[in-house]
Structures are given as C-alpha cells and as structure tokens.
C-alpha cells in the first residue's frame, strides 16, 4: 500500500480511458504521479515501455513493481486495493451492471467516437458536420440505453456515484459539448458529471 503509484497517460490528456483511470485515483484520494507518454512519437512502442506495460498501451498504472494496463482493469484494481470512496456499486448485481456499461461503451457506438472525437471535449471544436446516418443510429441507441439506465430524478445510475457514471456521461458529452441534441435530463446528468471535482482536475490539465 505504501508503494509509489504512477499513472501513464497520453501526453495530450484527451484519452477517455486514461481519464477514467485518473478519475478513479482522484476519487480514492490516493497520491500518485502523472507521467505523460508521447503517443505521436511512438513512445508507447519503445522497448522499455512495452516490457513494463505488456500491451504497449495507455493508460498504465504502476504500483511498486506491479504494472497494469486496460482502464477498466485499473479502476477495479484501484477500487479493491485502496480505501476511500467506492468506485463501484455495493451489490453484486449493480457491480455487474456497471462493468457491463464500461464494456459496452468501449466496444460499441464507434460512429459516435469517430465523428465526435474526445478531443472536442477539451478544445473548442471546429465546425462539425451533422452526424451521419450511422452515427445517428448509434446516438439513438446510446440515448435509449441511458434513459433506461438512469432512474427518473436520479443524479447517479446506482444511487451513489460510480465510475460507470463518469463513463456514460463522457459518451453523452461527446454529443452535448458538440451541440448535438440530447434530452434535457440526460444532458443535465452529463453536465453534473463533467463538473465533478475529480473530472475537472483532468479537464484543467495543461494541453
């Protein structure tokens, strides 16, 4: 537990996966060092980084002699290793649902990720073309699922905040912060998550 922690992220601080790991550590209140990796230069493919990370990807969390990549694995490890605010819900059923949401957002909705880059959330976006038909279909799927997942009048998916709230809100904010129409209650939910202190600490990093 006393071993030093280092979180390796993209150097431009725009990766939603690196941001998820950063938010998890901030929510836990643990001390860690931030180490940006220059992906444009290919630093993630250098032998020293690959030998440590196994996959040559960011984010990577190094805890003493233990190194871990894949953001959902990192958030689970942080939650299970450190005291402090829980990152996942308290019941097995809700934890399973939170992990489902994480996995779904990483593996689906590609047209939204392609047409509404995460870079747009941190820098003023240029004029954007309307969403393609494929992206509109993906948006409909996202909004329907979010409406079903978020209880009416609730501030969080599972009563108390969880890392799944950050991740669902990030995907919604790809639309909200680019001016695409999102139902009011989902837009307000996404805005509340965006202004959470742990999230804003990432937003305010120099780029």
């Amino acid at each position: 537990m006393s071993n030093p922690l280092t979180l390796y992220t993209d150097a431009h601080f725009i990766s939603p996966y690196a941001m998820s790991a950063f938010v998890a550590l901030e929510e836990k209140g643990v001390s860690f060092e931030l180490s940006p990796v220059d992906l444009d230069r290919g630093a993630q493919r250098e032998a020293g980084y690959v030998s440590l990370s196994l996959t040559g990807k960011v984010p990577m969390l190094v805890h003493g002699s233990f190194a871990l990549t894949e953001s959902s694995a990192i958030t689970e490890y942080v939650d299970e290793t450190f005291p402090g605010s829980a990152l996942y819900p308290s019941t097995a059923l809700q934890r399973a649902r939170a992990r489902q949401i994480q996995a779904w957002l990483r593996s689906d909705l590609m047209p939204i990720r392609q047409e509404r880059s995460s870079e747009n959330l941190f820098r003023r976006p240029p004029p954007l073309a309307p969403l393609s038909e494929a992206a509109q279909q993906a948006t409909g799927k996202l909004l329907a699922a979010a409406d079903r997942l978020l209880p009416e009048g609730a501030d969080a998916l599972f009563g108390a905040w969880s890392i799944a709230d950050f991740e669902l809100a990030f995907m919604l904010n790809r639309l909200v912060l680019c001016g695409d129409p999102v139902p009011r209650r989902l837009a307000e939910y996404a805005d509340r998550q965006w202004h959470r202190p742990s999230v804003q600490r990432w937003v305010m990093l120099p780029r």
Side-chain angles (χ1 to χ4, degrees):
M1 296 283 286
S2 61
N3 289 330
L5 276 169
T6 302
L7 179 65
Y8 292 80
T9 72
D10 62 304
H12 297 302
F13 305 122
I14 60 173
S15 165
Y17 310 118
M19 188 177 181
S20 177
F22 178 93
V23 168
L25 289 164
E26 289 284 337
E27 290 286 340
K28 280 292 183 181
V30 297
S31 178
F32 65 97
E33 179 182 347
L34 197 61
S35 183
V37 178
D38 190 346
L39 304 183
D40 295 336
R41 190 174 58 81
Q44 75 278 17
R45 294 190 293 273
E46 293 176 357
Y49 189 85
V50 172
S51 66
L52 187 61
S53 70
L54 185 66
T55 60
K57 296 171 67 176
V58 297
M60 174 174 67
L61 181 69
V62 176
H63 185 200
S65 61
F66 178 64
L68 184 67
T69 56
E70 301 301 331
S71 58
S72 59
I74 291 171
T75 57
E76 290 190 40
Y77 175 76
V78 168
D79 199 33
E80 294 172 1
T81 303
F82 299 100
S85 300
L87 303 179
Y88 287 86
S90 58
T91 72
L93 289 178
Q94 290 181 336
R95 286 195 299 276
R97 183 70 74 201
R99 291 174 179 130
Q100 178 191 15
I101 292 167
Q102 286 184 296
W104 171 56
L105 293 172
R106 285 161 170 71
S107 61
D108 200 354
L109 310 173
M110 180 59 75
I112 298 176
R113 295 201 296 273
Q114 291 174 331
E115 298 181 30
R116 297 297 184 259
S117 166
S118 59
E119 186 172 355
N120 294 323
L121 281 69
F122 307 106
R123 299 169 178 162
R124 185 181 297 276
L128 297 170
L131 293 170
S132 67
E133 182 177 349
Q136 290 179 41
Q137 291 176 353
T139 295
K141 184 176 182 179
L142 170 64
L143 298 180
D147 184 66
R148 183 175 174 183
L149 287 164
L150 182 66
E152 194 68 38
D155 290 333
L157 294 169
F158 305 107
W161 180 89
S162 74
I163 196 67
D165 286 297
F166 160 73
E167 301 206 10
L168 178 59
F170 190 98
M171 185 62 79
L172 289 169
N173 273 320
R174 289 178 184 270
L175 303 169
V176 173
L177 297 179
C178 288
D180 297 300
V182 171
R184 181 174 176 178
R185 84 179 191 100
L186 297 180
E188 290 176 348
Y189 162 78
D191 182 70
R192 286 193 299 272
Q193 300 301 325
W194 192 248
H195 287 93
R196 195 171 178 87
S198 60
V199 174
Q200 281 297 301
R201 282 191 279 274
W202 175 274
V203 173
M204 299 306 293
L205 290 172
R207 291 175 176 80

